């Protein structure tokens, strides 16, 4: 018979074990929710410093007002108010390449750049600047965007970026991913010919990568953070709904055009 | 032109505001993730005591091993590994009436019972026992289950229940919903003729209701907690997959039966 | 070892069987898609007359322009264009009680009314009128809406209703559910004191119930129909997108309000 | 004010228009469901020959027994039976790169190969063989798989492939995509050194591309087809459930392993 291995959780008649701990005796009341989320993915308990940086990332990513995902969740709640899980899921399904993907893309770009270094990593800013200059040049030659650069609203500086770097520094967790990201901020104008801000989604990816979290799953933390923001939107939709007005605004301003055969 | 009111978030070129706060200056590094989730839904900052009870609930609900929802998320990740958001959403879609709904159902049952009290609420256990006796009797007459009673695995005691009650007591947040729930635990054997444990999902609903959170959204907190557990499962599926074995176990043990017209 | 019975499909190295048929030899090229969908759910092959009524229902329900579900699907596609399945799923998740549920609710209301008849069903309009009068009166006394009555846009007549009844009549499939629904259309003014149209979603539920399809799954046919409509919207979103304009319309007309603690 | 153009649908008090037609008068009872789905995406009415090929594709892709997506849908229905739309959405979310993506990948591979041809397309098999030989060689050099080749169960021949080619031939719709796909079937052994079958998902992608449908949306037709199959599974789950047995089989055969920190 096939067996199904897991190191997450088990339970029997009197005990629930999670991550090798007794859930009721050792975790409830002793472990924060962000701390547990880190632990569940990394399979190790984070230090208090790691928790502070990690929760600062989740807080930074939780909400951005009326994003397409928040609007989609509210419209779904309007149509199917009996299924809160459906509205939340609809909102999370927008957590793809364009609106939530930057965190993961940036973490991966930094990790790939660092992994390609032959020999030891740089120890000073000049060394990270050289690395950044090469990485941005290569991306430019390949006509690829550098993830984490630029923002449609925060055109000069994204206020989250310096704050997260400072928190990581305070907690001695400003590692090579963040340092390379900062170096990209310094050197990209000379390569690209214009100055762009380091955005908040990107700095979050750099910080998560410095925490040792798997780069392939960074989008997952953005989704977890956004789940809290979406709950806030759904709670507000319940109190002061906008979904019907969104629908009517679109429907009443629809203009019919002749079909255009593909 | 229609306007769309919100008190969640806004941003301009230099500032991101969330819940009336400056996200970068006032929230990142200062507010925990669970604390923010509470704030987003309740539109008020919880006290440290409320945060402790709230996070204990989220920790209690985060995972239960190989639940149907965890298996569904892993199978979806197997089929579409490029879309982590799809696998997470698939897992959350199982957060309905049967497997995650008890928290909300129990909170609502308790809140409805308390709301129907004519005059002041009881102040001692005897008063809550009377209330519980009536509520269980009414449910029984209507052949409805009392939500929060019974568990398929923890047949005598769910280990989460006494721990959450103790934490709420320590934080002076053991209010009427929890007290009524405990009363149901004491009196139901005389009404139903058998003794069932107060389950963990139910006590979480009671605790959330005592925190003043809206009863219609309690399922949302169970979903947020489960999002963390599902990320843990998806991280594990990436390291040591079981999805293919689940699929093959079902497919190889399929037996073909003759169609049975409806 | 547990075995998993199914009468849907099996395959081996050289053959794929579906519903007891050879998929390649007997179904492909011989069976229409709507016909197969009926067969899959009902586990019996529909007659050509049943297929015509069934496909008329699917065509009637496929699209309604810029519904909340269509807008949600387009916004999700905007955010995560790499995951067409996510955008489609987000659109279907709005297929709940309010916007797609009428078909199922109406079918169930009619089926429950017919099931409660003591003795043989009526054979003439007068008999169905009596039945309808009672059912509408009971609903009114319980302050419940009669599903299938009224429409926000088609205030006098929903153009789908007489056409579907005619098609069912042509195919000799105008059974007791449709006849009771028509009777509700005749008698409700005298009970409710105002005249409402029989809507298209409702007549579809009546027709599906007359086809012998399980009432608990009628919503599923509305979802299948809507899946085609949503594909149309996503194809159009790819050619001439509106998602970004919807997002910007909402975001730019957002007004910030002070948090209102729950 | 922003306007939102669409050529799909509009309605007023007395008429519903879809694709420039009167829904009730011109479409219901006159147009099949598969025909309408084609029309919605392509924005032109397909010919009867095109409908026959298109519906043969949908029939071919509708179901494959206990796939991971069917199991995920059933587990979600077990957990949240009140939300049929959630179970259907969960099943469709597995329609990604691995289990449903071959149709789109194959269509795109063929379309890209044809688009890169300098001058007129081949008119005889020898010409398509040359084209196929080059395309397979290039894929091999880049260590990329050729989509549409090979099947885990149908190791010699997928029974759907010759049937769909025959149907397309009968309807005079065996165009360059199908002819190139057949050529790949002829020449790949000499390039790859082993003989693989042309699979059913691949031939469906080729046939859809020959129908002129947009290659970026081919996955959408696989999803539509699968929606019908999933409804069949959910109807069966309602009659003769297996979800609980799947869950228990996994949960009871779980083996706990020590956490392995990332």
């Amino acid at each position: 018979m096939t067996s199904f291995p897991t190191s997450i959780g088990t339970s029997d008649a009197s005990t629930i074990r999670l991550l090798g701990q007794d859930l009721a005796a050792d975790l409830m009341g002793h472990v924060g929710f962000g701390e547990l989320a880190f632990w569940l993915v990394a399979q190790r308990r984070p230090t208090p410093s790691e928790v502070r940086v990690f929760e600062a990332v989740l807080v930074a990513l939780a909400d951005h007002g009326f994003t397409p995902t928040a609007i989609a969740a509210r419209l779904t709640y309007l149509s199917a108010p009996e299924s809160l899980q459906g509205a939340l899921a609809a909102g999370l399904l927008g957590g793809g390449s364009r609106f939530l993907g930057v965190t993961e893309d940036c973490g991966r770009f930094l990790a790939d750049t660092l992994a390609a270094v032959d020999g030891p990593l740089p120890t000073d800013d000049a060394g990270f600047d050289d690395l950044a200059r090469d990485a941005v040049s290569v991306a430019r030659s390949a006509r690829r965007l550098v993830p984490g650069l630029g923002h449609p609203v925060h055109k000069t500086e994204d206020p989250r970026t310096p704050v997260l770097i400072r928190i990581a520094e305070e907690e001695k967790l400003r590692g090579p991913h963040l340092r390379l990201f900062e170096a990209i901020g310094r050197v990209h104008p000379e390569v690209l010919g214009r100055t762009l801000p380091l955005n908040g989604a990107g700095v979050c990816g750099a910080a998560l990568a410095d925490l040792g979290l798997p780069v392939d799953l960074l989008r997952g933390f953005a989704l977890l953070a956004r789940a809290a923001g979406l709950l806030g939107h759904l709670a507000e939709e319940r109190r002061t709904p906008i979904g019907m007005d969104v629908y009517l605004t679109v429907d009443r301003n629809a203009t019919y055009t002749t079909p255009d055969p593909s």
Side-chain angles (χ1 to χ4, degrees), chain A residues 123-137:
Chain A
T123 53
D124 59 4
D125 282 356
F128 277 107
D129 283 0
D130 289 345
L131 203 52
R133 213 173 274 114
D134 286 355
V136 175
S137 299

Side-chain angles (χ1 to χ4, degrees), chain A residues 64-110:
Chain A
H64 275 76
F66 284 134
T67 53
T69 60
I71 303 168
R74 284 172 176 253
L75 288 167
T76 306
Y77 187 68
L78 167 71
S79 300
E82 77 283 6
S83 170
L84 191 69
Q85 69 270 25
L88 181 62
L92 292 176
L93 287 171
S97 57
R98 268 204 221 158
F99 274 77
L100 281 191
V102 175
T103 297
E104 183 167 313
D105 293 344
C106 185
R108 184 175 290 121
F109 180 80
L110 299 170

Side-chain angles (χ1 to χ4, degrees), chain A residues 12-25:
Chain A
D12 59 29
S14 62
T15 316
I16 302 174
R17 296 190 70 78
L18 187 64
L19 297 161
Q21 315 297 310
D22 183 314
L23 173 69

Side-chain angles (χ1 to χ4, degrees), chain A residues 35 46 143 161 173 177 190 192 218 259:
Chain A
E35 187 177 2
R143 293 167 176 277
T161 304
L173 288 164
H177 298 84
E190 62 187 88
L192 303 181
L218 295 191

